[in-house]
Amino acid sequence: MQNKKALNYSQTFHFPIQIYYEDTDFSGVVYHPNFLKYFERAREHVIGADILASLWQEQGLGFAVYRSDMLCHDGVEFADIIEVKTQFCFESKYRTIWKQEIWRPNASKPAVTANIEMVCMNKARQLAPMTPELLALLKQSFDSAQ
């Protein structure tokens, strides 16, 4: 993120994920690209699949990753039930920034951290502003932010 202004993040959303053998490499540790999938699932959970589908089908709007910075601090293993903690903020009417962490059971620090910038785009793959309805829905997450 090039911008150094203070960002106001939403409440924290919690999303559990079971780690299956298919998620891991030969050693039983999660294959690192899968963390991006887990972050994506958690973001989808925050907004809601039905809302995202409706936004695409009815208004031709969707989201794309503009930038992703991910750090792996610790391994996540087969049979773990991890928790993805997610917060987001608005950078503009076109862009949101998502701060996400993956936590192992009983850990004292996150196993994986990421900052992911998402942009709103239309079907022609051009930047498009988020709708007032979507902005209002997402802004509800700030009412109970700590």
Side-chain angles (χ1 to χ4, degrees), residues 38-78:
Y38 305 152
F39 289 138
E40 181 79 27
R41 288 181 201 165
R43 290 192 306 273
E44 184 176 315
H45 183 73
V46 169
I47 298 173
D50 55 339
I51 292 168
L52 289 168
S54 174
L55 192 64
W56 182 252
Q57 293 165 356
E58 296 172 15
Q59 299 181 42
L61 295 175
F63 291 94
V65 172
Y66 171 73
R67 179 183 175 135
S68 176
D69 294 316
M70 183 176 77
L71 295 171
C72 298
H73 308 280
D74 195 11
V76 174
E77 300 176 356
F78 168 63

Side-chain angles (χ1 to χ4, degrees), residues 3 8 10 12 33-34 54 81 108 116 120:
N3 197 333
N8 181 30
S10 70
T12 301
N34 287 333
S54 174
I81 297 177
S108 61
I116 299 173
C120 187

Side-chain angles (χ1 to χ4, degrees), residues 6 43 79 82 139:
R43 290 192 306 273
I82 59 171
K139 285 180 179 178

Side-chain angles (χ1 to χ4, degrees), residues 7-14 87 141-146:
L7 300 174
N8 181 30
Y9 281 92
S10 70
Q11 67 177 294
T12 301
F13 294 87
H14 302 267
Q87 293 180 292
S141 301
F142 291 85
D143 293 340
S144 57
Q146 302 160 358

